[in-house]
Each structure stands twice: as structure tokens, then as C-alpha cells.
């Protein structure tokens, strides 16, 4: 475990003790994630290439003597109280994640005792690095361990997805939760959502680094636009399947099949899926051949596909990509995550990260009057719950 994480855990345990006047007995940790490529493919059972990063949600926990559940959130500066079986209406969005986790957990397992919990996080919120998945995974993992439930990691990940679907109303896929739960330090994950399997690989980037630029933009419509894309691709899929009986899954669709879609917008949506999936294969090959220039080109292709065909980018993300392209030391980049704001992910020469910061941030500020942020990070292990 990194020193950084160890010191955060110690700090959160101490804060737990200060608030609840008892010592924590479990500490649950779940990271945020990046995704190198394979965007908006997961909910249609495509491919992605994520890794967890050293930004975490940490929850300290101890049982109570009664059946009350008391949860204090440092990041959101408030507290919730919940008694299993009694009505509860979450008043803030962080409570929806927690309440969702408690409710979903109780569909298969029992919360036999009350508990206190203290939540902290440094995953940037609403930035496309899965702060919400980190909360869900940290909470679900904690409940699994504390109440000795026996479901496996894939079930855990799927339980967390149910929180998004049922309690947040977003039809998201499994990318975020899967990466948060199952990542491995220093590795990228090649993730196949059809077979629900993954493999880890070293994606050596030598004198380069992955660097995020945060637009600091979070649009309210992102959730509804997200669900709109899910619906659109389903409609296009059904039309293709009705015209070509060989197509049983999204992954069977070829570029020729894309032409079977009569509506031009829906055709573009499906085209993105087919080409983005291919780009995941191509990126894996490029890594194998140590061809980082090719990786960079694929990132840019992915961006233009998300911008023009899938239409989930925004002016701020597009500006960052275009501006970064003019930086000497940039190999490629693209919008990352759900879109409509959040971060770009970029392949930048390590020695030039500071220079990149002073290049991109003032340009962004003068264009949009927003203070963006640049992050370099480490790739870390997925979620973990420790008995203290
Ligand atoms: C969000 C969703 C994921 C995935 C990405 C886009 O992060 O939660 O399931 O669809 O967007 O790739």
C-alpha cells in the first residue's frame, strides 16, 4: 500500500474516533478511475481499457449497540441517519448512493446491527473519474465484509450499477464500478463486458505520462443525455437485428450493418460503438508494439468519434483537445468518461508536464474564464476492506 493511502486511512480513522467516540473496526477504500479508450461501449457490452488512480473514497466503520445507522460525510459536511425498515428520503445526492447501497444489499443479505460510518474522499466530483462509483463500491464492499455476505466481486459491481439505475436514474454500464473494484497497481485492464472478463497488462509508456485536464464543467443534462444515448443505440441495434439475423449482440455489428440503420443520427451512434470497440483492439496492439504514436492517434480518433458521431463532448473539452494538439510533447488525447464536461485524458511527455500546465491552463482560462486543473496520478489497486 502506498504511504499516501496509509496516511489517509490513519487520518480518517482518527476523525471517525473524534466524531463517534469509538475506534473504527473496518476501513473500506475504493479508488476513482481513468479510461484510456473504449468510451460509451460498456452498456452495450463492448470493450474498455481502464485503470484505478490514486484518488479514493475511504469509509471508516464500527458497529453500534442499537440498530441505527449513522453516517457522517466530511466531504459533504453533513450526516444521515437511517434505520433499516423505516422510511428514508435522501436529501442530498451522496445520500442516494449510500441509501441505494443499503437498500440493494438488503435484497440478498441482512443488516443485523446498526453502525457508525465516516466518509471521506479526494476523487474530484463530477469530473468523469467515477467519484460516484467509488462511493458505491466502498460502501457495498464494506457491507459485504461487515455482515459476512458471500457474493463475489462481479455481483458486487453489478449491485453498485443497480444503485445508479434505480436510485440515480442513470442507465450507466459497469465500467466505473468494475475498474474501481478490480484494478491492479501499475496495470491497465482490458475489459470485455460481454464475457464479463478482464486481463491486466503492462502498458509501458516510457518517457510519457497520462495526464488529466479537468474542465471543471459539470452539466445537469449529462444524466438525461446519457440515457438518451443508451436508448438510441438500442433502437439502432433492433433495426439492424431485424434486417440481419446474424446480428445477435452489439459485438456482431459490422460497418456494413451500420448502413442498415435508416436514421442518420442513430447510424452515427452505432458507428461510434463499432469503431470504438475496434480502437480498443488497435490500442492494445499498439501497446504491444510499443507504438505510442499510434496510441495517441487512436485517442484523437476516439475523441472525434465521441464529439461528432456520439455527440457527448462539449466546447470546453473540444477546446482542450485542440489546444493540446499544438503542444510539443503531446501524443494524443480525448474526452474521458460520460462527457458533457469532466476531464480530458492525454499522453504527454513526462518531463514536460509542468510546461503543459502553464500552457493549457491560462489558455483555457482566457477562453472560458474557468480555472481548470491538471492532474498526473499513479495507477493503483482496486477496492479493499481491511479489518482494523
Ligand atoms: C460513465 C458511465 C460508464 C460509462 C462511461 C462512458 O462513466 O458510468 O458506465 O458508460 O460513462 O464510457
Amino acid at each position: 500500500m502506498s504511504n499516501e493511502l496509509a496516511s489517509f486511512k490513519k487520518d480518517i480513522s482518527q476523525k471517525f474516533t473524534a466524531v463517534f467516540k469509538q475506534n473504527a473496526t473496518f476501513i473500506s477504500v475504493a479508488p476513482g478511475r481513468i479510461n484510456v479508450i473504449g468510451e460509451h461501449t460498456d452498456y452495450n457490452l463492448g470493450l474498455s481499457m481502464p485503470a484505478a488512480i490514486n484518488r479514493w473514497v475511504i469509509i471508516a466503520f464500527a458497529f453500534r449497540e442499537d440498530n441505527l445507522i449513522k453516517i457522517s460525510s466530511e466531504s459533504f459536511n453533513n450526516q444521515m441517519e437511517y434505520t433499516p425498515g423505516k422510511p428514508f428520503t435522501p436529501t442530498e445526492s451522496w445520500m442516494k448512493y449510500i441509501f441505494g447501497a443499503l437498500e440493494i444489499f438488503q435484497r440478498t443479505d441482512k443488516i443485523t446491527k446498526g453502525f457508525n460510518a465516516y466518509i471521506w474522499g479526494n476523487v474530484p466530483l463530477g469530473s468523469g473519474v467515477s467519484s460516484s462509483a467509488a462511493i458505491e463500491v466502498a460502501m457495498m464492499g464494506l457491507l459485504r465484509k461487515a455482515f459476512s455476505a458471500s457474493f463475489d466481486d462481479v455481483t458486487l459491481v453489478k449491485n453498485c450499477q443497480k444503485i445508479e439505475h434505480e436510485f440515480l436514474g442513470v442507465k450507466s454500464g459497469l465500467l466505473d464500478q468494475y475498474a474501481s473494484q478490480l484494478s491492479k497497481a501499475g496495470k491497465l485492464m482490458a475489459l470485455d463486458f460481454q464475457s464479463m472478463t478482464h486481463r491486466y497488462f503492462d502498458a509501458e509508456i516510457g518517457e510519457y505520462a497520462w495526464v488529466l485536464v479537468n474542465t471543471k464543467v459539470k452539466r445537469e443534462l449529462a444524466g438525461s443525455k446519457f440515457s438518451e444515448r443508451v436508448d438510441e443505440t438500442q433502437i439502432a441495434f433492433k433495426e439492424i437485428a431485424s434486417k440481419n439475423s446474424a446480428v445477435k449482440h452489439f459485438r456482431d455489428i459490422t460497418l456494413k450493418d451500420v448502413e442498415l440503420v435508416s436514421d442518420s443520427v442513430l447510424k452515427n451512434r452505432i458507428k461510434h460503438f463499432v469503431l470504438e470497440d475496434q480502437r480498443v483492439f488497435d490500442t492494445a496492439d499498439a501497446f504491444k508494439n510499443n507504438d505510442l504514436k499510434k496510441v495517441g492517434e487512436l485517442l484523437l480518433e476516439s475523441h472525434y468519434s465521441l464529439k461528432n458521431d456520439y455527440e457527448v463532448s462539449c466546447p470546453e473539452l473540444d477546446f482542450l483537445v485542440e489546444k493540446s494538439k499544438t503542444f510539443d510533447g503531446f501524443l494524443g488525447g480525448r474526452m474521458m468518461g460520460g462527457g458533457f464536461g469532466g476531464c480530458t485524458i492525454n499522453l504527454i511527455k513526462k518531463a514536460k508536464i509542468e510546461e503543459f500546465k502553464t500552457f493549457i491552463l491560462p489558455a483555457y482560462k482566457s477562453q472560458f474564464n474557468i480555472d481548470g486543473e491538471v492532474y498526473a496520478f499513479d495507477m493503483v489497486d482496486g477496492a479493499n476492506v481491511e479489518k482494523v
Side-chain angles (χ1 to χ4, degrees):
M1 191 190 1
S2 73
N3 288 340
E4 188 190 14
L5 179 56
S7 100
F8 283 142
K9 283 169 84 167
K10 193 167 156 221
D11 193 37
I12 305 316
S13 293
Q14 283 168 354
K15 286 185 169 154
F16 177 92
T17 307
V19 171
F20 294 111
K21 315 283 176 250
Q22 64 178 150
N23 290 331
T25 51
F26 291 104
I27 305 272
S28 180
V29 170
R33 61 110 189 86
I34 54 161
N35 186 29
V36 167
I37 203 155
E39 213 68 89
H40 280 279
T41 49
D42 60 346
Y43 46 83
N44 289 324
L45 310 188
L47 305 161
S48 294
M49 200 181 280
I53 57 173
N54 58 330
R55 299 286 187 280
W56 296 277
V57 166
I58 301 179
I59 310 180
F61 169 106
F63 287 114
R64 296 169 58 94
E65 288 310 318
D66 53 18
N67 64 352
L68 184 66
I69 294 173
K70 222 175 181 176
I71 299 178
S72 188
S73 162
E74 173 171 335
S75 310
F76 300 98
N77 194 24
N78 53 24
Q79 211 177 58
M80 71 177 257
E81 287 191 8
Y82 162 83
T83 307
K86 293 225 173 109
F88 177 82
T89 310
T91 50
E92 311 236 351
S93 74
W94 73 271
M95 295 179 189
K96 292 187 188 168
Y97 296 107
I98 299 298
F99 177 59
L102 293 165
E103 292 283 299
I104 302 275
F105 180 81
Q106 291 178 95
R107 286 184 194 163
T108 52
D109 292 273
K110 279 210 161 59
I111 293 180
T112 47
K113 231 177 160 187
F115 62 85
N116 293 323
Y118 186 89
I119 305 188
W120 171 92
N122 68 350
V123 188
L125 300 176
S127 304
V129 286
S130 300
S131 52
S132 41
I135 299 181
E136 293 155 10
V137 167
M139 194 64 203
M140 195 58 78
L142 183 56
L143 295 173
R144 176 172 72 173
K145 183 91 159 198
F147 295 100
S148 307
S150 56
F151 51 81
D152 62 13
D153 284 349
V154 169
T155 307
L156 184 147
V157 162
K158 288 183 173 168
N159 280 348
C160 293
Q161 181 193 36
K162 285 187 193 153
I163 305 175
E164 296 280 343
H165 287 201
E166 297 179 32
F167 293 82
L168 281 302
V170 181
K171 298 178 180 173
S172 56
L174 288 164
L175 167 67
D176 308 345
Q177 296 82 1
Y178 203 116
S180 181
Q181 179 66 26
L182 285 145
S183 287
K184 232 186 192 141
K187 308 273 183 195
L188 282 176
M189 201 195 261
L191 192 38
D192 180 334
F193 294 100
Q194 185 154 306
S195 58
M196 281 301 280
T197 54
H198 62 276
R199 79 183 161 83
Y200 302 106
F201 64 102
D202 291 310
E204 248 323 303
I205 52 173
E207 52 172 345
Y208 285 85
W210 295 110
V211 175
L212 301 185
V213 186
N214 192 344
T215 60
K216 294 289 188 77
V217 171
K218 181 176 166 21
R219 297 210 156 77
E220 280 310 314
L221 88 194
S224 61
K225 286 278 171 202
F226 188 97
S227 296
E228 189 179 291
R229 294 297 173 275
V230 177
D231 295 342
E232 287 169 338
T233 45
Q234 287 294 337
I235 296 170
F237 171 79
K238 282 192 187 127
E239 185 175 358
I240 294 172
S242 76
K243 293 179 176 170
N244 178 359
S245 59
V247 173
K248 303 273 185 251
H249 306 281
F250 273 79
R251 294 268 282 284
D252 301 330
I253 302 172
T254 62
L255 273 184
K256 202 163 147 244
D257 295 320
V258 171
E259 295 307 318
L260 298 172
V261 181
S262 34
D263 180 275
S264 62
V265 170
L266 298 188
K267 190 184 280 184
N268 285 342
R269 305 290 194 249
I270 272 294
K271 185 171 135 215
H272 167 75
F273 175 85
V274 174
L275 293 177
E276 184 74 355
D277 244 18
Q278 186 56 45
R279 278 188 284 270
V280 178
F281 284 121
D282 295 347
T283 304
D285 280 347
F287 277 128
K288 217 183 280 166
N289 301 330
N290 267 316
D291 189 352
L292 286 189
K293 196 165 158 279
K294 179 74 187 168
V295 173
E297 285 165 13
L298 289 161
L299 293 178
L300 285 167
E301 275 178 31
S302 169
H303 180 75
Y304 292 117
S305 178
L306 289 157
K307 170 179 186 264
N308 300 321
D309 290 337
Y310 220 65
E311 295 185 274
V312 290
S313 187
C314 64
E316 293 85 352
L317 288 164
D318 296 338
F319 174 86
L320 287 177
V321 170
E322 292 313 317
K323 189 74 193 170
S324 304
K325 271 168 79 177
T326 66
F327 182 77
D328 181 26
F330 167 91
L331 280 188
R334 61 178 198 85
M335 57 147 280
M336 190 183 75
F340 305 105
C343 291
T344 58
I345 178 165
N346 307 279
L347 202 43
I348 306 272
K349 219 176 213 153
K350 238 183 239 163
K352 287 194 146 192
I353 295 178
E354 282 309 310
E355 196 185 317
F356 178 64
K357 260 187 207 172
T358 55
F359 168 82
I360 199 77
L361 293 179
Y364 184 66
K365 170 93 178 179
S366 79
Q367 187 76 12
F368 295 103
N369 200 23
I370 302 174
D371 291 309
E373 235 178 303
V374 170
Y375 320 102
F377 45 80
D378 300 326
M379 293 182 187
V380 301
D381 281 325
N384 161 274
V385 186
E386 189 194 338
K387 196 166 187 339
V388 190

